[in-house]
Amino acid sequence: MKTINQAVVSAIAGLLLAGGTAVWAGEGPTGHSHSHDETFSAGEPGDAKKPARIVQVTMGEMDGKMMFMPAKLEIKTGEQVKFVLRNNGELDHEFILATTAENLKHAEAMKKNPDMEHDDPNGKRLAPKKTDEIVWKFSKPGEFEYSCLIPGHREAGMVGTIVVK
Protein backbone atom coordinates (compact mmCIF):
# COMPACT_ATOMS: atom_id res chain seq x y z
CA MET A 1 0.00 0.00 0.00
CA LYS A 2 1.31 3.45 -0.93
CA THR A 3 1.91 6.09 1.69
CA ILE A 4 0.10 9.40 1.35
CA ASN A 5 3.36 11.07 0.22
CA GLN A 6 3.82 8.47 -2.51
CA ALA A 7 0.20 8.98 -3.61
CA VAL A 8 0.67 12.75 -3.87
CA VAL A 9 3.93 12.34 -5.81
CA SER A 10 2.27 9.80 -8.11
CA ALA A 11 -0.69 12.11 -8.75
CA ILE A 12 1.56 15.07 -9.57
CA ALA A 13 3.81 12.93 -11.76
CA GLY A 14 0.73 11.65 -13.59
CA LEU A 15 -0.41 15.22 -14.29
CA LEU A 16 3.03 16.14 -15.60
CA LEU A 17 3.20 13.04 -17.81
CA ALA A 18 -0.26 13.83 -19.17
CA GLY A 19 1.18 17.02 -20.66
CA GLY A 20 -0.25 19.43 -18.10
CA THR A 21 1.38 21.35 -15.36
CA ALA A 22 1.00 20.59 -11.70
CA VAL A 23 -1.45 23.38 -10.90
CA TRP A 24 -2.06 22.03 -7.41
CA ALA A 25 1.47 21.73 -6.02
CA GLY A 26 1.79 19.73 -2.85
CA GLU A 27 2.51 21.17 0.57
CA GLY A 28 3.09 18.14 2.75
CA PRO A 29 1.09 14.94 2.61
CA THR A 30 -2.43 16.29 3.20
CA GLY A 31 -2.39 19.81 1.81
CA HIS A 32 -1.36 21.98 -1.06
CA SER A 33 -1.02 25.63 -1.83
CA HIS A 34 0.02 27.89 -4.65
CA SER A 35 3.50 29.38 -4.89
CA HIS A 36 3.78 33.17 -4.76
CA ASP A 37 4.68 33.54 -8.44
CA GLU A 38 1.87 31.36 -9.77
CA THR A 39 -0.90 32.91 -11.82
CA PHE A 40 -4.53 31.90 -11.64
CA SER A 41 -6.70 31.27 -14.66
CA ALA A 42 -9.72 33.16 -13.30
CA GLY A 43 -7.91 36.34 -12.25
CA GLU A 44 -6.10 37.04 -9.02
CA PRO A 45 -6.66 37.19 -5.27
CA GLY A 46 -8.47 40.38 -4.36
CA ASP A 47 -7.59 43.08 -1.85
CA ALA A 48 -9.91 42.89 1.17
CA LYS A 49 -9.25 46.59 1.87
CA LYS A 50 -10.76 47.66 -1.48
CA PRO A 51 -14.46 47.82 -2.38
CA ALA A 52 -16.05 44.68 -3.73
CA ARG A 53 -19.43 43.48 -4.89
CA ILE A 54 -20.72 40.96 -2.35
CA VAL A 55 -22.07 37.72 -3.77
CA GLN A 56 -23.47 35.09 -1.42
CA VAL A 57 -22.97 31.52 -2.62
CA THR A 58 -24.86 28.82 -0.74
CA MET A 59 -23.81 25.16 -0.93
CA GLY A 60 -25.84 22.16 0.04
CA GLU A 61 -27.86 19.11 -0.79
CA MET A 62 -31.51 19.08 -1.86
CA ASP A 63 -33.76 16.47 -3.45
CA GLY A 64 -30.87 14.02 -3.92
CA LYS A 65 -28.69 16.60 -5.69
CA MET A 66 -25.78 18.72 -4.55
CA MET A 67 -25.78 22.32 -5.65
CA PHE A 68 -24.55 25.88 -5.50
CA MET A 69 -26.99 28.78 -5.42
CA PRO A 70 -26.64 30.76 -7.61
CA ALA A 71 -25.49 28.34 -10.31
CA LYS A 72 -24.41 31.13 -12.70
CA LEU A 73 -22.87 34.58 -12.26
CA GLU A 74 -21.97 37.38 -14.66
CA ILE A 75 -19.07 39.60 -13.67
CA LYS A 76 -17.34 42.51 -15.41
CA THR A 77 -13.66 42.26 -16.28
CA GLY A 78 -11.69 44.07 -13.57
CA GLU A 79 -14.47 43.69 -10.98
CA GLN A 80 -13.58 42.60 -7.46
CA VAL A 81 -16.03 40.23 -5.78
CA LYS A 82 -16.28 39.14 -2.16
CA PHE A 83 -17.80 35.66 -2.19
CA VAL A 84 -19.60 35.01 1.07
CA LEU A 85 -19.69 31.22 1.18
CA ARG A 86 -22.28 29.39 3.27
CA ASN A 87 -22.54 25.62 3.60
CA ASN A 88 -26.19 24.93 4.48
CA GLY A 89 -25.73 21.21 3.84
CA GLU A 90 -25.13 18.20 6.04
CA LEU A 91 -21.77 17.35 4.37
CA ASP A 92 -18.45 19.14 3.84
CA HIS A 93 -18.36 21.11 0.56
CA GLU A 94 -15.77 23.09 -1.39
CA PHE A 95 -15.76 26.20 -3.55
CA ILE A 96 -12.84 26.00 -5.99
CA LEU A 97 -12.62 28.79 -8.59
CA ALA A 98 -10.72 27.94 -11.81
CA THR A 99 -11.24 26.83 -15.40
CA THR A 100 -13.21 23.66 -16.05
CA ALA A 101 -10.04 21.91 -17.27
CA GLU A 102 -8.12 22.81 -14.10
CA ASN A 103 -10.97 21.72 -11.84
CA LEU A 104 -11.30 18.39 -13.68
CA LYS A 105 -7.55 17.74 -13.22
CA HIS A 106 -7.80 18.69 -9.55
CA ALA A 107 -10.87 16.45 -9.14
CA GLU A 108 -8.81 13.46 -10.36
CA ALA A 109 -6.14 14.21 -7.73
CA MET A 110 -8.89 14.49 -5.09
CA LYS A 111 -10.13 10.98 -5.95
CA LYS A 112 -6.71 9.67 -4.86
CA ASN A 113 -6.58 11.90 -1.77
CA PRO A 114 -10.19 12.83 -0.81
CA ASP A 115 -9.20 14.42 2.51
CA MET A 116 -6.81 16.85 0.81
CA GLU A 117 -6.86 20.16 2.65
CA HIS A 118 -6.77 23.42 0.72
CA ASP A 119 -4.90 26.58 1.54
CA ASP A 120 -5.46 28.44 -1.71
CA PRO A 121 -6.76 31.96 -2.32
CA ASN A 122 -9.18 30.59 -4.97
CA GLY A 123 -10.70 27.80 -2.86
CA LYS A 124 -12.24 26.97 0.50
CA ARG A 125 -13.55 23.81 2.12
CA LEU A 126 -16.43 24.33 4.55
CA ALA A 127 -17.82 22.03 7.20
CA PRO A 128 -21.63 21.82 7.51
CA LYS A 129 -23.32 25.03 8.68
CA LYS A 130 -20.07 27.05 8.37
CA THR A 131 -19.29 30.24 6.45
CA ASP A 132 -16.13 31.72 4.94
CA GLU A 133 -15.13 34.34 2.38
CA ILE A 134 -12.98 34.69 -0.73
CA VAL A 135 -12.11 38.07 -2.24
CA TRP A 136 -11.30 37.74 -5.93
CA LYS A 137 -10.47 40.18 -8.73
CA PHE A 138 -11.59 39.00 -12.15
CA SER A 139 -8.82 40.50 -14.27
CA LYS A 140 -9.41 38.30 -17.33
CA PRO A 141 -12.51 37.85 -19.51
CA GLY A 142 -13.76 34.33 -20.16
CA GLU A 143 -15.83 31.53 -18.72
CA PHE A 144 -14.78 30.04 -15.41
CA GLU A 145 -16.40 27.84 -12.83
CA TYR A 146 -16.66 27.11 -9.17
CA SER A 147 -17.09 23.52 -8.18
CA CYS A 148 -16.89 21.14 -5.26
CA LEU A 149 -14.11 18.65 -5.91
CA ILE A 150 -14.83 16.29 -3.03
CA PRO A 151 -15.24 12.95 -4.85
CA GLY A 152 -18.81 12.51 -6.09
CA HIS A 153 -19.97 16.06 -5.37
CA ARG A 154 -19.22 17.62 -8.77
CA GLU A 155 -20.84 14.60 -10.41
CA ALA A 156 -23.93 15.17 -8.22
CA GLY A 157 -24.33 18.70 -9.60
CA MET A 158 -21.99 20.91 -7.56
CA VAL A 159 -20.68 23.15 -10.30
CA GLY A 160 -21.41 26.80 -11.07
CA THR A 161 -20.49 29.03 -14.00
CA ILE A 162 -18.95 32.50 -13.98
CA VAL A 163 -18.97 34.52 -17.19
CA VAL A 164 -16.53 37.44 -17.08
CA LYS A 165 -17.28 40.05 -19.76
Side-chain angles (χ1 to χ4, degrees):
M1 186 159 84
K2 289 183 178 181
T3 66
I4 292 175
N5 279 337
Q6 289 170 320
V8 170
V9 170
S10 294
I12 292 170
L15 288 173
L16 290 172
L17 290 173
T21 57
V23 174
W24 302 94
E27 182 182 82
T30 60
H32 55 244
S33 66
H34 289 277
S35 63
H36 294 290
D37 60 351
E38 182 159 0
T39 59
F40 296 90
S41 60
E44 60 197 55
D47 181 346
K49 295 182 180 108
K50 293 187 177 174
R53 176 167 65 139
I54 296 172
V55 174
Q56 181 163 318
V57 177
T58 304
M59 317 173 202
E61 315 89 37
M62 192 169 18
D63 299 328
K65 294 181 182 170
M66 295 186 187
M67 64 185 69
F68 287 107
M69 292 174 280
K72 185 171 185 177
L73 295 167
E74 287 193 10
I75 295 170
K76 294 181 184 88
T77 302
E79 187 174 7
Q80 179 165 285
V81 174
K82 179 196 279 188
F83 291 101
V84 178
L85 308 173
R86 176 177 297 281
N87 182 355
N88 282 348
E90 302 298 322
L91 304 169
D92 280 12
H93 291 298
E94 293 182 332
F95 176 97
I96 307 293
L97 177 62
T99 64
T100 299
E102 287 169 340
N103 273 345
L104 288 172
K105 271 187 192 175
H106 186 187
E108 286 303 310
M110 290 284 294
K111 287 178 186 173
K112 294 175 179 75
N113 187 4
D115 296 321
M116 189 183 294
E117 292 182 23
H118 299 94
D119 182 23
D120 302 304
N122 65 324
K124 298 280 185 186
R125 184 173 185 144
L126 277 74
K129 312 303 180 206
K130 297 295 180 185
T131 61
D132 208 336
E133 296 178 353
I134 291 177
V135 179
W136 198 259
K137 184 175 180 183
F138 289 89
S139 57
K140 304 170 190 174
E143 189 165 303
F144 306 98
E145 70 169 39
Y146 44 96
S147 62
C148 180
L149 303 181
I150 295 171
H153 292 209
R154 179 187 176 89
E155 296 80 357
M158 283 200 82
V159 61
T161 304
I162 296 179
V163 178
V164 182
K165 296 181 177 182

